[in-house]
Amino acid sequence: TITISRQLNDLAVTDFTVSRRRGTTDAGGTVAVQWTVTNHGTDPTVGAWSDSVILFPAGTPAQAIVLTSIQHPDEVPAAGHYNSNANVILPNRIEGEYTLRLVTDANNELYEHEHEDNNTHDLVPNLVIGDPAPDLIPAALDLGATNAVAGHNLTVTWTIENAGQAAALPTWVDLIYLS
């Protein structure tokens, strides 16, 4: 007689939080995420699997990007759980409302039979991400003379200040128009 049995695992994301300040989170910034996954199955997990933290524009999961994946090689007993965390870096040059999602067993490495429906958890409310940008403004202009003569040089000096929330990285071009 041959007895065939199968491991019945059911990993479920039971908690997912992010440590961030109130209001807008900066593009290119780091957020700390924490989560708990519980094995609701009847058997301990066998083998390794990955948890992934994913970001996508609210309502458009097809545009998701993986911010980080963490492999879990440890056994989780039936009714047991584990806690995990990561510091994830948000992409640069994005802004608006974004959904942060945690997916356990992200690559379907564990057999969960009919219990794949609880492997994801979305952070509520969505993250509001702002893209801090430079704001270059002319602060001073000196023509060096009160009168200019056609066909002769005129020395012009000026100062530009950054009134924005991000560094102005080289390069840019300043233009001066005489009219």
Side-chain angles (χ1 to χ4, degrees):
T1 301
I2 298 175
T3 303
I4 298 175
S5 64
R6 61 182 171 188
Q7 294 289 113
L8 293 179
N9 300 296
D10 179 14
L11 293 181
V13 180
T14 52
D15 190 32
F16 182 42
T17 60
V18 62
S19 299
R20 68 179 193 278
R21 69 177 202 266
R22 291 176 167 243
T24 303
T25 301
D26 290 341
T30 301
V31 293
V33 292
Q34 304 84 32
W35 63 93
T36 302
V37 173
T38 302
N39 182 4
H40 292 302
T42 57
D43 295 305
T45 59
V46 175
W49 66 95
S50 297
D51 291 344
S52 293
V53 178
I54 297 171
L55 182 75
F56 57 88
T60 55
Q63 295 179 21
I65 57 170
V66 176
L67 299 179
T68 191
S69 288
I70 297 175
Q71 190 171 37
H72 294 280
D74 300 324
E75 178 182 293
V76 178
H81 72 277
Y82 65 90
N83 298 311
S84 198
N85 62 72
N87 289 318
V88 295
I89 299 172
L90 300 174
N92 288 312
R93 303 290 177 228
I94 62 171
E95 61 183 328
E97 226 178 286
Y98 280 76
T99 299
L100 199 59
R101 174 176 287 173
L102 179 78
V103 181
T104 190
D105 192 24
N107 300 315
N108 293 317
E109 294 143 315
L110 293 179
Y111 177 72
E112 295 187 72
H113 190 52
E114 298 173 348
H115 302 291
E116 297 287 345
D117 59 339
N118 55 3
N119 287 11
T120 65
H121 187 83
D122 291 351
L123 184 68
V124 177
N126 287 329
L127 285 178
V128 177
I129 300 175
D131 187 11
D135 182 11
L136 302 179
I137 58 172
L141 176 67
D142 182 9
L143 298 178
T146 55
N147 294 317
V149 178
H152 289 86
N153 290 336
L154 175 65
T155 301
V156 178
T157 59
W158 65 94
T159 303
I160 301 293
E161 291 182 356
N162 183 1
Q165 298 176 345
L169 303 175
T171 63
W172 67 85
V173 175
D174 294 334
L175 299 175
I176 297 177
Y177 293 96
L178 298 176
S179 60

